[in-house]
Amino acid sequence: MRWVWAALAVWGAIHPMYWFVTWFRTEGWSLDRMIDAWYVNAATTGLTWDLTIAAITLTVWVLVEVAVRRNWIALLAIPATFCIGVSCGLPLYLFLRAKPVR
């Protein structure tokens, strides 16, 4: 199962980035404009908040489990979540969590 999580983490990094890069090429390389697009209507605002809450929840889960299990490498899931997305951060965390801790 560990390698399924790894494959999903890679997919979760690459697939959304394709769409982000496509958007940047069409609309210009402005992060401010992209953030504005996240709040363009109720549907995108709801999705933005859904992913934000999921990212915060995942971060709390990672922090709590790292404190208990001392699996420090699992902290990599936090920057992956906020720099790439929950679609990468969650499966990455599950991949790192599935590794035997010594």
Side-chain angles (χ1 to χ4, degrees):
M1 199 61 210
R2 188 164 189 253
W3 295 108
V4 171
W5 302 136
L8 288 170
V10 170
W11 182 25
I14 294 171
H15 195 180
M17 281 302 148
Y18 167 80
W19 295 106
F20 290 142
V21 170
T22 300
W23 187 90
F24 279 126
R25 285 184 178 162
T26 303
E27 302 294 327
W29 293 86
S30 170
L31 189 57
D32 289 338
R33 289 183 64 201
M34 177 174 259
I35 292 171
D36 288 343
W38 295 346
Y39 298 98
V40 73
N41 60 43
T44 59
T45 299
L47 184 57
T48 299
W49 278 109
D50 180 63
L51 292 172
T52 301
I53 293 166
I56 292 168
T57 303
L58 176 57
T59 299
V60 170
W61 181 28
V62 169
L63 292 172
V64 167
E65 283 217 338
V66 164
V68 171
R69 299 180 77 203
R70 304 290 190 234
N71 183 12
W72 304 109
I73 193 75
L75 290 171
L76 290 174
I78 295 172
T81 298
F82 287 97
C83 295
I84 300 171
V86 176
S87 63
C88 176
L90 176 58
L92 176 63
Y93 176 67
L94 294 172
F95 169 77
L96 296 170
R97 185 179 187 272
K99 179 182 175 197
V101 179
R102 295 177 189 187

